[in-house]
Amino acid sequence: MESVLELKDVSYAYPGHNAPAIEALSVGFPAHSFTAIVGPSGGGKSTVLKLLAGLIPPQTGEMHTDGRISMVFQSGALLPWKTAEENVALGLMNAGFSEHEQFAKARAALGEVGMAQFARELPRDLSGGQRQRVGIARALVTDPDILLMDEPFSALDVETAERLHREVLSLWQRRSLTVILVSHSLEEAVLLAQSVLVMKAGSLKKFVPVTLPYPRHLETRTMHIANEIRLLIHERDRV
Ligand code: ADP
Ligand code: MG
C-alpha cells in the first residue's frame, strides 16, 4: 500500500547534543492505517512525531509527506485564558477564514467530539477528558488527512481513556484518517493500532502487526501481544 508518510534513513540530533535522538530511521505509514509507536522513555518517539509534523527538519535522509497533518498533544495543551471554541479556532489561524467561519468550523469540530455544549467554557472548568476532546477538536478543525498523537490519553483516568479510545477509533474510520499514536501503554497500543512500532535508542527495534478485528478488548489475545512487546522492550540489547 502507498505510504502517505515516509522516512528514509533519517537521523536527527538536537542542537548541542552529539548523540542522535533518531538514527538512520526508515519507516513508512500506509494511507488510512493506524500505527502505534511504543518504547522506553527517551527512545525517540516524540522526536519522530516532531519530524513527521515538520516541527524539526531531518538532518540526514529523506522525508516524504502527502496530506494535511495535525497533532494532538498530551492533556490538550490549551491556552487557559481562551474558551473551548477559541482554542479550537486557533487551529485555523492564518488559514484565511473570516472570524465567523472560524467559529462555525470550531463549533462543528467540538460537536464531532461531543463538546458542543461546552464551547464557551474555559479549560479550568473542564475535566481532563473534556480538555483532551477540545485538543482533538483543534486538530480536526483543519480537516487533516493525518493525525499525530503524542501520549494523548496518558494523563486521563482509565474509564475516560477508554471512552476516548472508542471515539478515536470511530474518527479514524469515519474520516479515513491515517493515525500515528505514541503511547507508553502497550495495552492501549494493541487495542487501537493495526501495527505497533517498537522504538529503542533512536532506532526501530521491531514492527508488530496486530490483525485482531475491532472492537478489541483486554483479553487473552490482546494481553498476550502486549506482553510479547513488553519482553522485547525490556530485553537487554545484545552486544
Ligand atoms: P521519547 O518521546 O521516546 O521519550 P524523545 O524523542 O523525547 O523520546 O527523546 C529522544 C532523545 O532526545 C532523548 O535522549 C532526549 O533526552 C533527547 N531530547 C528530546 N527532546 C530534546 C530537546 N528539546 N533538546 C535536547 N534533547 C532532547
Ligand atoms: Mg515523548
Side-chain angles (χ1 to χ4, degrees):
M1 199 183 262
E2 205 185 327
S3 293
V4 287
L5 285 172
E6 199 165 6
L7 298 176
K8 265 192 204 154
D9 243 357
V10 166
S11 299
Y12 183 84
Y14 284 95
H17 292 253
N18 289 327
I22 296 294
E23 204 165 8
L25 180 66
S26 296
V27 60
F29 300 90
H32 315 306
S33 59
F34 197 132
T35 308
I37 304 180
V38 301
S41 179
K45 304 181 296 295
S46 294
T47 305
V48 170
L49 283 201
K50 285 188 254 178
L51 283 161
L52 293 172
L55 298 173
I56 53 175
Q59 287 158 345
T60 65
E62 278 175 46
M63 194 171 74
H64 157 82
T65 63
D66 179 14
R68 228 187 327 247
I69 301 177
S70 277
M71 180 105 136
V72 176
F73 299 91
Q74 199 177 341
S75 66
L78 307 178
L79 295 180
W81 60 90
K82 289 196 178 284
T83 63
E85 65 182 359
E86 286 168 345
N87 267 289
V88 176
L90 280 179
L92 291 172
M93 234 172 34
N94 309 323
F97 295 109
S98 71
E99 197 170 316
H100 179 78
E101 286 169 322
Q102 284 183 30
F103 278 88
K105 284 176 181 290
R107 278 190 291 270
L110 283 168
E112 207 174 334
V113 295
M115 287 292 290
Q117 69 271 41
F118 300 101
R120 300 286 166 81
E121 302 285 344
L122 289 169
R124 65 161 182 261
D125 297 320
L126 300 174
S127 69
Q130 290 171 331
R131 282 199 288 271
Q132 192 50 287
R133 282 167 195 272
V134 177
I136 294 170
R138 185 182 50 202
L140 293 177
V141 77
T142 51
D143 200 16
D145 307 295
I146 300 158
L147 196 60
L148 307 178
M149 310 180 96
D150 198 353
E151 308 206 3
F153 312 121
S154 57
L156 305 176
D157 63 82
V158 176
E159 252 176 65
T160 307
E162 282 174 0
R163 208 171 310 132
L164 280 172
H165 289 167
R166 287 195 290 277
E167 300 210 3
V168 164
L169 281 176
S170 135
L171 278 172
W172 165 53
Q173 285 162 348
R174 199 165 67 237
R175 284 183 166 239
S176 286
L177 296 165
T178 303
V179 178
I180 303 172
L181 166 79
V182 166
S183 177
H184 67 228
S185 162
L186 304 179
E187 281 74 18
E188 174 175 283
V190 171
L191 288 177
L192 297 181
Q194 297 170 309
S195 42
V196 180
L197 306 182
V198 181
M199 280 200 67
K200 228 172 155 175
S203 307
L204 190 56
K205 188 166 163 71
K206 189 91 180 175
F207 176 94
V208 183
V210 186
T211 52
L212 303 171
Y214 297 94
R216 297 175 184 160
H217 306 281
L218 269 188
E219 35 84 20
T220 319
R221 290 174 304 173
T222 43
M223 277 162 31
H224 179 73
I225 301 172
N227 282 330
E228 298 264 283
I229 298 172
R230 187 164 287 116
L231 285 176
L232 271 174
I233 290 176
H234 293 302
E235 173 182 283
R236 297 263 303 274
D237 289 312
R238 291 184 203 90
V239 189

